Amino acid sequence: MAALPQRPVAKTPFKLPSQPIPSSSPAFATPVHPIRPAISNNKQDSHRPAPILPILLPPAILRPIAFRTFTKKHNLTLTSVALQALSAFIGKHCGSGWREEGLAELVLEEIARAWKRSESKVIVDGEGSTLANILKQLEGSMSGGRIVIGRNGSSLSRQTSLVGGESFGEGGLLQRGDSFGISALGVEEDEESEEKDPRSWLKVVGAFEMPRMMYNPSRNHFEKSKSVGDMFPPPSMKTDIFRQRYHLIHQRVLRSESFQKTSTTSKSAELKITSIANLLGRSGTGHLLLGLLMITPTGTLAVSDLTGTISLDLEQATFIDPVETWLCPGMIVLVHGVYEEEYGSAGGNLGGTGGVGGTIGGRFTGFSIGAPRCETRATTLGITDTSSTGISAPSDMHIGGGFGWVDFLGQGSERAIGSRMRKIEQRLLSPRATLSSRLSLPPASIDSQPHTHTNSNKLVILGSVHLDSSLHLTALRRILLTYAPPIAASPPPPPLTFVLLGPFVSHAAMSNTTSSSAAHATTTIPDSITYKEAFDSLAALLSDFPTLLRSSTWIFVPGDNDPWASSFSAGASVPLPRSAIPEMFTTRVKRAFAAANAAVPATTTTGVNAVGSAGRERVPGEAVWTTNPARVTLFGPSHEIVLFRDDVSGRLRRTAVGLKKEMEEGRVDEGYGSEEGTGVVDTTMVGALDGGGEQMDVDADVTVVDENDTNQQQTPPPPPPPPQKQKQTHDTSLRHARSLVKTLLDQGTLSPFPLSTRPLHWAHAHALSLYPLPSALVLCDTDADALVVRYQGCCVMNAGRLVGGRGVGGGIGGRGGGGGGEVGRGGKRGGREVTSWVEYDVSERKAEVRLCDL
């Protein structure tokens, strides 16, 4: 046999093949086809974190980092039990690298976010099950001291915490719809929100949809009530109405600068509220009381707080604040005076029990009285004040304190989405973006357009619209022609919203009563058929303005004459809040909106649609039938507008308590007590109501739209009337406007009356709260003049009557054009009827009253 040739010696070292040679031998159990090596598994094994060696971490060592994360960054307070649980958790899962590698701070940050999603409490309590569930969920996602994706694929990253991916209420981590977080707004972190129409961020919140936030004085924070709103609630909710009002005003007063004790404050100048029960045994001493003004069964005045009641003597009292306010039973007031002790109960046998918790003996002689001044919305929410500068101010800066994490309307809290929504607002409400989205023009052609139209960021407010009156329908058509002229070279952009406040008929609907006069014995009050015909007339009128229907949001707020409450009240005041107008009466109006929206496609791939710019989805117009009162939010917590229809000023005048000393001395209107001869000024209480806020400002500029000129002009003033008469009219209207606005905002409620004067639904009385102050308050009070007042950063507007308003402008800038003369008390100018309405500019946060002749 021939020898085999020898193979040359390899110069390189021998290496095993990366893939084994396939073999079909069953003895080695090797498959025919090779198995691909698990390279990914080898990489995971090589990068697998080293195991953590648990340590015993004392709570005192973790306290500085926990305080910086929970308290300073998230405004949360840790209890000792919660700090001990966190120390045990971090020591077990982070080990010795909890400080050097920053593992503890990352874990604490995620726990704080999870707590805000699952609880509305500001105190992190370790005794409950919430913190234990959070730690249990985090334990399954911990690896190497860090939070990673677990087996179930759930991630606890920053994006998941803020958006709300997992739910922790029933076994998950994050929960939506509570008092924190984004809620139902759907804020996205991409730039698609810049392409949305501003009306897509407009939400109408009815009174029965508002969450019931209850203030807890022991924790100094708001908690969401778990009780369900019911028309037949337990009696305890009746007392909760006034108890909540007292707690809110009490904590507001204590946080004001006047009641803060500093190192430079002397003991004599220090302001301190004394409870009524602590007056016993301190006769002849001066005190400051905060309580509810009420009338005892014997007919005398008294003031009551949570500890007791005492008789009140206001014979020598004067107002604390230079701007007069209404004093009515049912209001929370500050009274400074002297306590005079007696041995008998102030109310006699009708006053109930005496002593602590009842009517204490003696009387309290008041020297000065007034309502605690309200605080600005920025102070309540703990943000920088942007009311004066608008959206261009640095709105992402926050100050200490406040209730920024509380979601009062269920649309998102200020701290969660406030900065994000203000950035979106600044982009969408800029002049260039506004014209692009509302004038149906591409962005490239906006720069060449004259920027003369400013209606696109405005709310048009019409008060007391009677649809069964031909004069009111004519006035409504005249107003709509101002915003949608039939022939115009460059039509103005439609407003954001039209707000129509009722009652929508002049008589109580479906009361089935007849006139008592023999000459009008056959005249009946409108029933259900005639009431529906009134809205059918409105639908026919609105059908002539399809551009306004498909480009604006129309909000309808009912009045006392609207069903169903009018069927048994006959037009009298009904309990608030009241429900919206039934749907059976509004079908024809909804059909008009559907026809207007169907005339233009929702989106276009080429060209430009009727509302938005090229390729932008159009937000269809809609009619919203809401409650009374109601709230309108625009860009989340950035804008909160309250809508309310009620004749508040007339009820204030009927139930007001007059001060004898003020009436005897003939208080001068101008200055409101600052002139000589107004009595002794209580120097002790001068600073009690001085919160350092902005002064009340009355907008006296009324824009007039003449019948023959549809352009918006400011007409020159006519020859003035005699100086004394003009000054008297001006002062009277100015004083009434200031008193009305100051009374409502300082009391923090839309109904500062006892339940016997203004009934309320006990379970839904929180819907009338004005805390925190809204961005704007829209009133429809037909007993007051149509004016615009700004107080503590809140723009208050009273639309008054649509036609024949009592003193439209009240002599304050209410002047006619073309020599028509001044607007009189009957709402006429030069023998012609005058219609009035209010415009509110959202971007500028300013309003004005507009007039035009019919």
Side-chain angles (χ1 to χ4, degrees):
M1 172 181 275
L4 295 175
Q6 295 182 355
R7 297 181 59 184
V9 179
K11 297 181 180 181
T12 58
F14 177 76
K15 293 183 179 180
L16 293 176
S18 59
Q19 296 183 358
I21 302 176
S23 174
S24 60
S25 174
F28 296 97
T30 55
V32 178
H33 301 285
I35 300 177
R36 186 171 298 177
I39 301 177
S40 60
N41 293 336
N42 294 335
K43 288 184 178 181
Q44 289 183 1
D45 295 338
S46 61
H47 293 285
R48 179 176 297 175
I52 294 295
L53 181 62
I55 63 173
L56 183 61
L57 181 62
I61 300 179
L62 185 64
R63 186 186 302 272
I65 298 180
F67 176 79
R68 184 170 63 250
T69 303
F70 278 81
T71 305
K72 287 191 174 182
K73 190 172 182 180
H74 294 281
N75 291 334
L76 298 175
T77 302
L78 277 174
T79 62
S80 58
V81 179
L83 182 61
Q84 186 176 2
L86 294 177
S87 301
F89 181 83
I90 292 177
K92 177 181 179 181
H93 296 281
C94 296
S96 59
W98 68 275
R99 186 196 297 270
E100 290 79 5
E101 301 179 13
L103 302 179
E105 190 170 359
L106 297 177
V107 175
L108 292 176
E109 179 74 18
E110 191 61 43
I111 295 175
R113 293 198 188 103
W115 177 269
K116 292 178 181 178
R117 302 298 181 184
S118 57
E119 281 286 343
S120 60
K121 303 176 182 178
V122 72
I123 299 179
V124 181
D125 190 5
E127 297 179 355
S129 60
T130 304
L131 183 61
N133 293 334
I134 294 176
L135 297 180
K136 183 178 180 181
Q137 182 73 12
L138 277 175
E139 188 175 5
S141 303
M142 296 292 296
S143 178
R146 301 180 184 273
I147 301 175
V148 297
I149 300 177
R151 296 180 180 179
N152 55 358
S154 62
S155 176
L156 299 179
S157 62
R158 179 179 182 272
Q159 182 179 1
T160 307
S161 297
L162 291 179
V163 177
E166 297 287 327
S167 176
F168 200 81
E170 295 291 337
L173 181 64
L174 302 177
Q175 194 175 29
R176 303 183 62 175
D178 54 6
S179 63
F180 298 101
I182 294 178
S183 287
L185 280 180
V187 181
E188 301 174 355
E189 292 295 335
D190 53 13
E191 297 182 357
E192 294 181 359
S193 58
E194 187 175 357
E195 301 298 329
K196 292 184 178 180
D197 190 273
R199 287 194 301 114
S200 61
W201 301 105
L202 189 144
K203 308 293 181 182
V204 180
V205 182
F208 303 104
E209 302 172 0
M210 288 182 55
R212 189 167 183 255
M213 307 301 298
M214 306 294 292
Y215 181 77
N216 190 338
S218 60
R219 297 183 176 180
N220 296 329
H221 197 69
F222 285 89
E223 298 178 353
K224 188 175 181 180
S225 176
K226 298 180 181 179
S227 60
V228 181
D230 190 4
M231 290 301 175
F232 300 96
S236 60
M237 285 192 175
K238 180 181 180 181
T239 57
D240 286 341
I241 297 176
F242 298 98
R243 184 182 292 111
Q244 280 295 308
R245 285 181 53 197
Y246 180 85
H247 285 323
L248 289 178
I249 296 180
H250 184 261
Q251 61 89 21
R252 192 182 72 193
V253 170
L254 295 182
R255 289 193 295 111
S256 63
E257 297 180 359
S258 302
F259 288 83
Q260 296 295 325
K261 183 179 180 181
T262 61
S263 58
T264 59
T265 304
S266 61
K267 188 175 182 179
S268 59
E270 180 182 354
L271 295 177
K272 184 178 180 181
I273 297 177
T274 304
S275 60
I276 294 179
N278 291 339
L279 294 177
L280 293 174
R282 305 170 70 178
S283 178
T285 57
H287 300 277
L288 177 63
L289 303 182
L290 176 68
L292 179 70
L293 188 65
M294 57 179 296
I295 298 179
T296 61
T298 57
T300 60
L301 283 178
V303 60
S304 176
D305 63 4
L306 300 181
T307 62
T309 305
I310 187 172
S311 179
L312 185 63
D313 183 10
L314 298 179
E315 290 288 337
Q316 303 297 325
T318 58
F319 287 104
I320 300 176
D321 203 299
V323 179
E324 292 183 2
T325 182
W326 298 104
L327 294 179
C328 303
M331 295 184 179
I332 307 294
V333 294
L334 272 173
V335 187
H336 178 256
V338 175
Y339 170 60
E340 300 176 2
E341 188 172 3
E342 295 178 0
Y343 292 99
S345 179
N349 296 330
L350 299 177
T353 59
V356 178
T359 302
I360 68 175
R363 67 175 181 176
F364 191 82
T365 303
F367 297 146
S368 56
I369 186 172
R373 176 172 293 185
C374 63
E375 61 186 10
T376 62
R377 179 179 177 86
T379 303
T380 305
L381 299 180
I383 59 175
T384 55
D385 191 1
T386 60
S387 59
S388 58
T389 57
I391 58 179
S392 60
S395 57
D396 55 345
M397 299 177 59
H398 297 79
I399 60 178
F403 304 103
W405 279 114
V406 182
D407 186 5
F408 292 95
L409 299 180
Q411 301 297 319
S413 62
E414 173 64 35
R415 290 292 184 92
I417 63 174
S419 300
R420 171 66 176 168
M421 297 305 298
R422 264 181 263 273
K423 293 178 182 178
I424 298 176
E425 175 189 0
Q426 189 172 8
R427 290 196 301 263
L428 294 183
L429 293 187
S430 61
R432 189 176 184 275
T434 298
L435 292 176
S436 174
S437 62
R438 311 286 288 177
L439 280 179
S440 307
L441 295 175
S445 61
I446 294 300
D447 297 331
S448 60
Q449 297 293 326
H451 296 181
T452 57
H453 301 300
T454 59
N455 295 332
S456 55
N457 295 337
K458 290 186 176 182
L459 274 69
V460 179
I461 304 163
L462 312 177
S464 188
V465 183
H466 295 165
L467 301 179
D468 58 344
S469 172
S470 59
L471 184 61
H472 282 236
L473 293 177
T474 304
L476 181 59
R477 180 179 294 273
R478 180 69 180 85
I479 295 175
L480 297 183
L481 286 174
T482 305
Y483 301 98
I487 301 176
S490 58
L496 281 176
T497 305
F498 285 90
V499 179
L500 278 70
L501 298 102
F504 296 102
V505 289
S506 56
H507 303 282
M510 292 175 293
S511 59
N512 295 327
T513 59
T514 59
S515 177
S516 59
S517 175
H520 302 84
T522 58
T523 303
T524 59
I525 302 300
D527 54 5
S528 60
I529 298 178
T530 56
Y531 187 81
K532 188 178 186 306
E533 290 177 351
F535 278 99
D536 294 345
S537 301
L538 176 64
L541 189 150
L542 296 180
S543 300
D544 298 336
F545 302 93
T547 304
L548 298 180
L549 296 186
R550 60 173 172 261
S551 304
S552 302
T553 300
W554 295 67
I555 303 175
F556 297 85
V557 180
D560 292 334
N561 291 339
D562 296 316
W564 296 110
S566 62
S567 60
F568 60 85
S569 66
S573 298
V574 296
L576 291 175
R578 60 151 302 166
S579 57
I581 297 176
E583 187 178 359
M584 60 177 297
F585 300 107
T586 63
T587 55
R588 191 71 62 88
V589 177
K590 293 181 179 180
R591 194 180 308 168
F593 276 87
N597 292 323
V600 177
T603 56
T604 55
T605 56
T606 60
V608 183
N609 56 33
V611 178
S613 59
R616 180 178 299 179
E617 184 178 357
R618 181 179 65 86
V619 179
E622 60 176 344
V624 180
W625 310 87
T626 185
T627 59
N628 181 28
R631 316 241 171 178
V632 178
T633 63
L634 185 62
F635 300 103
S638 179
H639 294 272
E640 178 186 349
I641 305 173
V642 179
L643 309 178
F644 185 50
R645 171 64 180 97
D646 191 28
D647 295 333
V648 184
S649 60
R651 191 175 292 106
L652 288 173
R653 286 193 292 267
R654 291 192 299 268
T655 61
V657 176
L659 299 183
K660 182 178 179 181
K661 189 173 183 179
E662 298 290 341
M663 293 184 292
E664 290 179 352
E665 295 176 354
R667 189 173 187 130
V668 183
D669 292 336
E670 185 176 1
Y672 303 102
S674 60
E675 275 84 15
E676 299 179 357
T678 57
V680 180
V681 178
D682 191 353
T683 56
T684 304
M685 288 299 300
V686 166
L689 302 183
D690 188 9
E694 64 179 62
Q695 298 297 325
M696 189 176 296
D697 180 25
V698 179
D699 188 359
D701 296 330
V702 180
T703 304
V704 180
V705 180
D706 195 82
E707 183 179 3
N708 299 324
D709 187 5
T710 57
N711 295 327
Q712 188 172 342
Q713 298 178 355
Q714 186 76 21
T715 60
Q724 295 181 355
K725 183 177 179 180
Q726 184 182 16
K727 183 179 184 300
Q728 181 180 3
T729 305
H730 175 86
D731 292 342
T732 303
S733 179
L734 181 63
R735 180 168 56 88
H736 288 172
R738 286 181 167 180
S739 300
L740 174 62
V741 172
K742 181 173 174 56
T743 301
L744 294 182
L745 298 189
D746 285 349
Q747 291 298 320
T749 179
L750 293 171
S751 180
F753 307 102
L755 297 180
S756 58
T757 304
R758 192 58 167 112
L760 303 176
H761 291 298
W762 302 345
H764 301 281
H766 63 279
L768 282 79
S769 175
L770 294 178
Y771 189 83
L773 279 186
S775 305
L777 172 60
V778 177
L779 296 175
C780 183
D781 190 347
T782 57
D783 293 337
D785 299 338
L787 286 175
V788 176
V789 180
R790 187 177 182 86
Y791 178 54
Q792 291 291 83
C794 178
C795 183
V796 182
M797 300 155 278
N798 181 31
R801 298 179 184 270
L802 180 66
V803 179
R806 189 178 65 88
V808 178
I812 306 178
R815 299 180 291 269
E822 187 176 334
V823 179
R825 303 295 292 180
K828 293 186 179 182
R829 179 173 56 184
R832 294 179 298 177
E833 293 286 350
V834 177
T835 180
S836 64
W837 71 99
V838 178
E839 283 185 353
Y840 176 68
D841 195 324
V842 177
S843 58
E844 298 293 336
R845 300 176 187 260
K846 296 181 180 179
E848 61 181 0
V849 180
R850 299 192 61 184
L851 308 175
C852 71
D853 297 333
L854 295 181

